Structure formats: C-alpha cells, structure tokens
Amino acid sequence: MKTVKTVMIGVGNISGIYLKNIHETFHEIELIGVCDLVRERAEKAQREYGIPKIYETMHDAFADPEVEMVLNLTRPYEHFEVSRAALEAGKHVYSEKPLGADLQEGRALLELARQKGLRLGGAPDTFLGAGIQTCRRLIDDGYIGTPIGSAAFMIGHGPESWHPDPAFFYKRGGGPMLDMGPYYLTAMINLMGGVDRVFSASRSSFPRRMITSRPFAGTAVDVEVNTYVAGTVQYSSGAIGTLFTTFDVHFPAEKRRFIEIYGTEGTLFVPDPNTFGGKVELYRPEEGAVKEMPLMYAYPENSRALGLADMCKAILTGREARCDVQQTYHVLEMMEGFATSAKTGEWTKIQSVYHRAPAMERPVLKGILD
C-alpha cells in the first residue's frame, strides 16, 4: 500500500489522539518521525508507537529527504513559522487550527504553498465525521427545503479549569473565536456554503484568569484577547447566520445548543462540531415533533487525523483535499473579519471565495479514504 511519509512537529496535549489514530486506523499515513522542544515527549511517543526517528529540531526534520508531509501540532501562535519553514523546505503541510494567528500570516502561507506547488490545509476535520456529513446529506437531499439561516453557540467558562497548560488560550492566536470558531465556521460553510460578509461585537469580560487545573493551579493569566464574541454572517446564497462564542459564561451542559440550520420546510439540529458523531435531529412541521435521524456515514468516534488521511490520499491520487487551504483560509478570513467589524462597527467583506469539497463516501475498508 502506498503511504505518505509524515513527521509530527509538536507532541503536546492534542498529539495523543493523532498518534493513536495514525497507528491504529489511517493506513495511508506513515509516521516516520516526531519532534518536540521537550524531548521527553518525543521519546514517550517513540516508545509507545515504535516511531523510527526523533529530530532534535524541526529544521532537522524538514531537511530529511524522506519526509513528505509535516503535521503541525504546535501552539496556535507558532503555526505560521513552523508551516512556513516546512513549505520553504518543500514539504506538504497539514496544521492544527487556525491556519495562522491572523490573516496576514494565512495569506503568506497560502501564497507560498501555491508558489511551491505544495499541499497546505488543516484542522478541523470533525466535519468529515458521521454527524455533520449526515447533516450535509439531509440538507442536500432537501429535507429542510431551501436553507435560509443558521445559528451557532459555543458557550462556556474557559479552559483554565481542565486544560493542563491553558495560558495560550488567552494570548495572541487564542480566545474563543480563534480556538473554537474554526469548528463551528467550518461546519457552517460545509452545510450552507461560503460567506460574503460578516458583522460582530466583542469584548473581554475578565482582564485576568486564574488557572485551577494542574500543574499550573494558582497561576494568574493576563487576558490579551476578546473572550465574548457575537457575530453575524451573510452567506453567499443570501442566507443569514449567527455565531456566538464565549469563555466568560457559566452555562449548564444539559442546556447546550450547538448549530441549528433553518430551512423553508424544516429545521436541522446539528451535533457538537468539535466531535465526529453526535445526535442529528430533524424537525418538520407536518411531523409535529423532533425526530432523531440515523447516522449515514463512517467515523462517528474521535477520528482526529481523518483530515490528514484525506490529504494524504489526495496527494497519492491527485484529487482535491477536503481540508485544503481554500477552506482554512476562508475560515480565518471570517474570524479576522469579526475582529475588524467589532473595531469599526461596520460589515466586513470577505474576499476569498469558498467552494464545498465533495461529500464523504462510505469506506470499503475503514481507514482507507476514497
């Protein structure tokens, strides 16, 4: 079987599920090396998964002629420098979200990848899972009629009570919109199509946050980003949507809502876009009740690395990648558009044009993409 030889840069908190899924599920990714500033993390991954190589620096990894793909799992404000260096070295790149900490970084990476003729894309890939792909099928098959609007909600009180190293969530490249917005916006445009313009208001409710999770419990963090962001989007179709993200609100889990898609003939309740499965519910007035719909696609479990596997298959076959840069850039432009609108009090035009990649196909063999 053909594979794409891949190196992982950054072996932090999110790397565990990537390592597990690359090792156990996605057979067209061949992880040949790891690199982390804390060498012990790389050594632990090597022991657990039999990874052949540990690189002292990312530049050592990028200089290895055997490496074809770089998996960038560094912190958000480090994404640009790692991805840029990898592209300069002639490597394809799949990055955790966001593409960059701002649109200038994202545009530079997009232009560099095109100049070099390399694949660039990244997370989130949750929209490829059974939950949102089922929602897309129901919308495309007309179960809610013509989509006319959407509403999305990411409500919580921040990661400082559970994340082992949460300070970066409150620094440049962090905040609820840049951290969680990609999951919601990526799901929204995959279901509704691209966005033409955005409007927003935002603020930071608490200037300092106290970490209560170990090992940094008792450490205070100065907040440098807005943590309460309300946005409106106008899709290219003319439909209108809203997205509310916050790290400032105490909210009971049992009352949470995620994404709702409103159509001329019904409403679709979309599961948590930070998961691959979840409950899909449909309301049509003639039924008089909300009905749970069966999931129609594979990968309902935590399948991180699915987007990387899809990109590897795209490299092997020459087809379009579903998580490519035209998507991650469009999402980044929307998020920066919200920030710009909040400062100016005006609508921000989105310049990039988005097209939906093909829907997922049911796999003949799990872990082998179409």
Side-chain angles (χ1 to χ4, degrees):
M1 178 186 297
K2 291 183 178 180
T3 62
V4 175
K5 292 180 170 58
T6 302
V7 62
M8 177 185 288
I9 307 297
V11 194
N13 193 55
I14 193 65
S15 67
I17 190 63
Y18 276 92
L19 288 164
K20 180 179 185 293
N21 289 339
I22 291 171
H23 180 70
E24 297 178 0
T25 304
F26 299 115
H27 308 299
E28 289 162 308
I29 308 168
E30 184 180 352
L31 188 63
I32 66 169
V34 289
C35 177
D36 194 278
L37 293 173
V38 181
R39 185 179 172 88
E40 290 78 9
R41 294 175 179 172
E43 291 173 346
K44 182 175 183 290
Q46 184 182 53
R47 287 194 305 271
E48 290 184 3
Y49 293 99
I51 300 166
K53 303 178 184 181
I54 293 178
Y55 300 95
E56 290 298 324
T57 71
M58 68 178 187
H59 299 290
D60 294 331
F62 303 158
D64 184 348
E66 193 177 8
V67 171
E68 300 171 277
M69 168 72 75
V70 171
L71 172 58
N72 183 355
L73 300 185
T74 58
R75 290 169 290 192
Y77 59 83
E78 298 169 326
H79 287 176
F80 172 72
E81 288 299 336
V82 174
S83 295
R84 183 195 58 78
L87 291 167
E88 289 283 11
K91 311 301 183 184
H92 305 292
V93 174
Y94 183 94
S95 175
E96 253 301 328
K97 47 78 183 169
L99 172 65
D102 56 42
L103 196 61
Q104 182 177 352
E105 291 185 352
R107 186 181 300 113
L109 292 174
L110 182 151
E111 292 173 353
L112 179 59
R114 290 178 176 171
Q115 174 191 334
K116 294 278 190 176
L118 295 166
R119 302 280 189 151
L120 170 64
D125 55 1
T126 45
F127 76 98
L128 298 176
I132 292 172
Q133 287 295 305
T134 294
C135 292
R136 173 169 172 169
R137 175 75 172 270
L138 293 169
I139 293 170
D140 291 352
D141 287 354
Y143 277 76
I144 62 169
T146 301
I148 58 174
S150 67
F153 315 87
M154 199 299 294
I155 304 174
H157 205 265
E160 60 266 35
S161 66
W162 58 267
H163 195 281
D165 188 10
F168 73 89
F169 287 100
Y170 298 102
K171 304 300 180 183
R172 180 174 179 268
M177 183 58 75
L178 275 173
D179 176 51
M180 294 299 294
Y183 296 108
Y184 287 78
L185 292 169
T186 300
M188 288 162 60
I189 62 176
N190 270 273
L191 297 175
M192 297 284 289
V195 167
D196 181 67
R197 60 178 185 159
V198 301
F199 185 85
S200 180
S202 63
R203 63 170 295 187
S204 179
S205 303
F206 306 99
R208 304 191 83 197
R209 311 289 288 235
M210 182 65 68
I211 298 174
T212 58
S213 60
R214 295 188 180 277
F216 297 105
T219 302
V221 179
D222 291 326
V223 176
E224 300 174 5
V225 293
N226 284 327
T227 51
Y228 194 110
V229 184
T232 301
V233 306
Q234 184 159 44
Y235 296 97
S236 300
S237 67
I240 295 172
T242 60
L243 172 60
F244 170 43
T245 69
T246 181
F247 283 163
D248 296 347
V249 173
H250 297 285
F251 201 82
E254 66 271 15
K255 295 292 186 180
R256 287 191 68 189
R257 300 156 64 191
F258 299 105
I259 301 175
E260 299 164 3
I261 306 294
Y262 311 122
T264 55
E265 298 177 23
T267 295
L268 188 64
F269 298 91
V270 180
D272 185 350
N274 193 20
T275 66
F276 288 79
K279 183 185 295 186
V280 175
E281 295 180 309
L282 175 68
Y283 176 78
R284 289 177 60 95
E286 63 271 24
E287 297 284 344
V290 175
K291 298 180 69 173
E292 184 173 352
M293 306 300 288
L295 299 183
M296 295 183 280
Y297 291 87
Y299 308 109
E301 67 284 343
N302 189 341
S303 299
R304 278 177 171 79
L306 176 55
L308 173 62
D310 183 79
M311 181 170 285
C312 288
K313 189 57 171 268
I315 291 169
L316 294 171
T317 63
R319 68 160 169 81
E320 177 182 6
R322 293 180 171 94
C323 290
D324 73 357
V325 68
Q326 68 96 19
Q327 176 168 282
T328 56
Y329 183 83
H330 193 67
V331 168
L332 181 61
E333 186 178 2
M334 281 188 280
M335 293 190 295
E336 180 149 310
F338 287 135
T340 300
S341 175
K343 291 175 182 177
T344 65
E346 299 177 349
W347 284 91
T348 299
K349 174 72 174 175
I350 302 301
Q351 301 297 327
S352 59
V353 177
Y354 172 78
H355 74 272
R356 296 195 304 168
M360 290 287 281
E361 296 183 13
R362 298 181 184 88
V364 176
L365 293 173
K366 189 173 182 181
I368 304 294
L369 278 289
D370 61 280

